[in-house]
Amino acid sequence: MTIKALWRTCTAILALLACVYVGGTLIDHYQDLKTFSWSGAQWLLVGMCSLIWVAVLILSGINWAWLLEATGQKNDRWSSVAIFGISQLGKYLPGNVAHHVGRFVMARGKDMSVAAIGRSMLFEVVLSFLVAACFFLLGVFLFDLGMWRELTQLSNLNRTLIFFLTGIVVSLVLFRDRLRIWAKHYLAAEVLLMPPLRPLLKSVMVFSASYLALGCVIDLHARFLFGFESSHWLWLSTVFSGAWIVGALMPGAPAGLGVREVVLIATLTPVYGETVAVGLSITLRAITVTGDCLNFLIWSLWRSVKRGQI
């Protein structure tokens, strides 16, 4: 068994255990959650939050169109947004890569070059992780993130991690010429070219707005669905960013299913209590799944209308 297959198997087991934990916790707190009776206005809020997620997806699709242009690939912006939106349902398949594969295949159907598609998606993934990491670190140093703050203290484990990362940086510096030769041998020259600074900055702004929007969504749920009085939208944005990173790194967890919820429950419980933390993690998953499906339907219909099939 290869390392990649082993990692995928291990993360699939972790995802399964996480789902079992979340399910068990939900059952334990089901009676407490039933005490939160929602009116029509609160259900309207849930629908509005799903539309916020749709807006985030559309903005992310526009961002991909910008990155394609930055790599020299001419494209119809809304067709690119449609490809992005339709492919997103693939993330619910095991492996966490089907949405990337689907987008690549559909983009090739529009005669986009392999190099441009690959570079644009690479920069998209890298920037999304970098921005999420920055938000997470912001939360670590500005807010009390419970167990995460303890993990950032300079313990023996973290000293080892620092030395390990330092070793990687030193190795990259010492062997940069050999690495450059290796990269040129195995990668197309176009892949090594950086796009202009402006689209990269626009991407950073898009991802920042996305994480902030999800923090606001969780805050709205806490205040208007579960009766929590205080607002913690910025802190919640940093918490979601960390949970998103953990979920995204688990290829065995489709769309971070189960894993993201466990991280959110563990982090939100000290502030909201376990019952509300469970409710927030479940309602967030519900609105993102609903938004993904709605976005898929919107752009599938758009493509059908454009082709004259409706």
Side-chain angles (χ1 to χ4, degrees):
M1 180 181 288
T2 64
I3 294 178
K4 184 177 180 180
L6 179 62
W7 173 247
R8 184 170 297 173
T9 302
C10 290
T11 55
I13 294 173
L14 287 174
L16 179 61
L17 293 174
C19 289
V20 171
Y21 169 79
V22 173
T25 307
L26 178 60
I27 292 173
D28 291 341
H29 292 273
Y30 179 71
Q31 294 300 326
D32 295 328
L33 288 170
K34 283 180 66 177
T35 62
F36 296 100
S37 57
W38 294 352
S39 65
Q42 289 169 309
W43 282 108
L44 186 63
L45 174 66
V46 173
M48 184 191 74
C49 290
S50 294
L51 292 178
I52 291 176
W53 180 240
V54 171
V56 167
L57 292 174
I58 293 174
L59 187 59
S60 299
I62 294 173
N63 176 58
W64 181 52
W66 288 337
L67 289 174
L68 282 170
E69 293 172 2
T71 58
Q73 176 64 62
K74 294 182 179 179
N75 66 98
D76 178 74
R77 180 169 300 174
W78 295 113
S79 293
S80 299
V81 174
I83 290 172
F84 180 91
I86 292 172
S87 66
Q88 286 304 294
L89 279 189
K91 65 189 176 187
Y92 293 102
L93 296 175
N96 256 352
V97 296
H99 54 307
H100 296 301
V101 174
R103 195 190 336 173
F104 183 89
V105 171
M106 286 190 286
R108 286 294 292 153
K110 292 290 184 180
D111 296 324
M112 296 184 191
S113 71
V114 172
I117 300 170
R119 287 180 64 208
S120 63
M121 293 171 64
L122 173 64
F123 289 123
E124 177 190 81
V125 171
V126 170
L127 289 172
S128 66
F129 271 94
L130 286 177
V131 175
C134 288
F135 267 84
F136 168 69
L137 292 175
L138 176 69
V140 167
F141 292 107
L142 291 185
F143 307 108
D144 182 8
L145 292 184
M147 63 176 184
W148 284 348
R149 173 163 289 185
E150 294 178 6
L151 291 176
T152 62
Q153 301 302 315
L154 205 59
S155 62
N156 291 331
L157 175 62
N158 285 286
R159 288 194 186 97
T160 303
L161 179 61
I162 290 174
F163 289 140
F164 176 72
L165 294 176
T166 302
I168 292 177
V169 173
V170 172
S171 299
L172 290 174
V173 173
L174 293 177
F175 299 102
R176 61 185 183 276
D177 293 334
R178 185 176 295 275
L179 288 172
R180 189 180 295 112
I181 294 173
W182 177 87
K184 288 181 178 179
H185 179 74
Y186 289 101
L187 299 175
E190 295 87 352
V191 178
L192 303 176
L193 297 176
M194 286 291 292
L197 181 60
R198 184 175 178 181
L200 295 181
L201 291 177
K202 287 161 69 174
S203 291
V204 169
M205 294 174 64
V206 166
F207 290 123
S208 298
S210 300
Y211 297 130
L212 289 172
L214 268 296
C216 289
V217 164
I218 302 173
D219 187 57
L220 287 171
H221 285 191
R223 293 166 60 196
F224 298 106
L225 300 184
F226 298 102
F228 199 82
E229 295 182 358
S230 302
S231 176
H232 300 286
W233 64 272
L234 182 56
W235 175 73
L236 288 167
S237 298
T238 66
V239 169
F240 173 81
S241 300
W244 179 86
I245 291 174
V246 176
L249 291 176
M250 297 289 175
L257 185 64
V259 177
R260 191 178 77 185
E261 283 72 24
V262 167
V263 176
L264 286 175
I265 292 171
T267 312
L268 299 180
T269 294
V271 175
Y272 294 100
E274 192 171 44
T275 298
V276 174
V278 171
L280 290 174
S281 66
I282 297 301
T283 55
L284 179 64
R285 175 64 68 177
I287 69 108
T288 53
V289 172
T290 302
D292 284 329
C293 293
L294 182 58
N295 193 55
F296 174 86
L297 291 174
I298 289 172
W299 292 108
S300 296
L301 180 62
W302 182 87
R303 281 164 63 96
S304 296
V305 170
K306 190 174 181 182
R307 292 170 179 169
Q309 295 178 354
I310 295 180

